[in-house]
Amino acid sequence: MTGNIYRGQAGLPFSSALRIYEPLSAFPEEQRAALRAAGARSASRAAVENAELQASLGRITRPGGDPFPTGRTDLVRVIPAPPEPEQPRTQKPAVGPDEAGTPDAGGPGDAVAGADSPEPALLYCPSQLVLRAGLAANALMEGIHGPLAQLLIPEEQRDKHQERIDLVKAREGTSRVHTRASTWGIPFSWFSLFKESDRQDVVESGGRIITVRVWAPIGEALERVRYAVANLALAAPDLDMLDDMTQLTEWLELFHPGSVVELDYGAVADKVYPDDSPMDVRLGIECLAEGDMTGAAAAYRRLASRWIPIRQLARAS
């Protein structure tokens, strides 16, 4: 396998991710050195994505029938922390005639002091593949494909992986999972966290869009999803998306207030970008809150026309 595997994921399901990046101080002290070192080893974001994909394909062909990650080389994604909002400058008192010979605090001395600006703060998102693989296996066992999953993942391997999960939890002292993944489309509830004005990056290669990543400060994301939950609870309490958004809110509340939320479209971005889904979700909720069923239905039709064909690919032969 080569480094181009990340750029051409032919035949693989479209996979998207919602990630939380936290400051180093949010992690247990004994974990920080490993996070810092793993982040320093990451040559580029594409290299991290490529390494994770290669590792997942390698587990499929691993001898011995154990498809679970071991956690020996857990990957870490790193992004710079958003800049702090500028504080208004205070007006300095005027210098009197008798103080003319005294250097002013706002003079050249400030320029020298600011010359050595500190390194930009970083935010970290560990892959946590051991925990996530365990959760995924449990969901598969409890779903409609449970009997098939029991054949594909022997009980012996599930028990062995549970030991790894217990070790990770004991070492890190937390069971917070920083990443949520979705295949064959993005849950509509995820779009409630973002707005069109949020910072985004379009990654292209060879005339194709490899992915689109959108970032929002966790405080703003929480404010948006809470607004959506409050309005849906009044206007459409039976809507499935209300339960999804409620769970999303509870998940976000687990993390440091200085965190950043990232929506990574993955390869599906090439099919849907430019994407107005965040705006359609917001407009749909606003229409429901105002009793405008026609507007809400129009917003849903736009979402459905964009995403239902993607989801149908999961059942395509």
Side-chain angles (χ1 to χ4, degrees):
M1 288 183 284
T2 70
N4 292 324
I5 190 170
Y6 167 60
R7 294 184 173 86
Q9 300 181 33
L12 297 175
F14 290 136
S15 179
S16 307
L18 190 66
R19 301 187 180 97
I20 307 293
Y21 290 78
E22 291 191 289
L24 205 59
S25 60
F27 296 92
E29 190 169 351
E30 57 273 16
Q31 192 182 354
R32 295 175 192 172
L35 282 171
R36 192 184 291 110
R41 287 195 302 269
S42 302
S44 68
R45 182 64 183 269
V48 174
E49 306 295 346
N50 186 67
E52 188 165 279
L53 182 57
Q54 287 195 42
S56 66
L57 295 176
R59 288 194 294 273
I60 297 174
T61 57
R62 180 194 296 163
D66 183 1
F68 291 104
T70 62
R72 293 193 189 98
T73 56
D74 202 24
L75 298 167
V76 178
R77 292 171 175 84
V78 181
I79 62 171
E84 294 287 338
E86 289 190 10
Q87 299 296 324
R89 294 187 177 183
T90 56
Q91 187 69 33
K92 294 179 181 178
V95 178
D98 57 340
E99 298 171 301
T102 305
D104 183 70
D110 273 358
V112 174
D116 297 326
S117 57
E119 290 286 329
L122 299 176
L123 301 178
Y124 298 81
C125 177
S127 291
Q128 299 174 295
L129 292 178
V130 169
L131 291 178
R132 288 167 52 206
L135 292 172
N138 290 340
L140 193 60
M141 295 297 170
E142 295 168 2
I144 59 174
H145 301 298
L148 177 60
Q150 291 178 13
L151 293 175
L152 295 175
I153 311 175
E155 183 177 359
E156 177 186 355
Q157 301 299 344
R158 296 199 304 272
D159 292 342
K160 183 178 179 181
H161 189 67
Q162 184 59 50
E163 294 177 4
R164 296 185 188 125
I165 292 174
D166 294 340
L167 285 173
V168 168
K169 289 183 176 180
R171 182 175 66 247
E172 299 181 2
T174 179
S175 58
R176 293 179 307 155
V177 177
H178 287 69
T179 302
R180 292 191 167 200
S182 175
T183 53
W184 300 116
I186 296 174
F188 293 165
S189 59
W190 290 10
F191 293 118
S192 66
L193 305 177
F194 301 94
K195 293 185 72 172
E196 312 83 76
S197 57
D198 288 335
R199 185 168 63 95
Q200 64 177 243
D201 183 26
V202 181
V203 183
E204 298 179 275
S205 178
R208 291 178 49 219
I209 297 177
I210 304 303
T211 189
V212 173
R213 301 187 185 106
V214 188
W215 297 277
I218 197 168
E220 294 181 15
L222 269 169
E223 184 178 343
R224 294 164 185 170
V225 73
R226 285 169 179 161
Y227 168 85
V229 167
N231 282 284
L232 284 182
L234 293 174
D238 297 327
L239 202 64
D240 290 341
M241 193 161 61
L242 175 59
D243 291 335
D244 294 341
M245 288 181 174
T246 301
Q247 293 176 18
L248 203 55
T249 305
E250 294 170 351
W251 178 61
L252 293 176
E253 288 172 343
L254 297 174
F255 297 95
H256 190 282
S259 302
V260 165
V261 188
E262 175 189 85
L263 173 58
D264 188 345
Y265 276 68
V268 76
D270 195 52
K271 303 294 184 185
V272 300
Y273 190 80
D275 181 30
D276 293 327
S277 297
M279 180 176 66
D280 288 333
V281 168
R282 188 177 71 256
L283 290 178
I285 291 169
E286 289 175 352
C287 289
L288 284 174
E290 296 168 1
D292 179 6
M293 297 301 129
T294 302
Y300 179 77
R301 281 196 299 271
R302 291 192 297 270
L303 282 166
S305 65
R306 190 178 302 125
W307 291 102
I308 286 180
I310 300 296
R311 291 172 180 170
Q312 287 174 339
L313 292 174
R315 295 184 291 274
S317 59

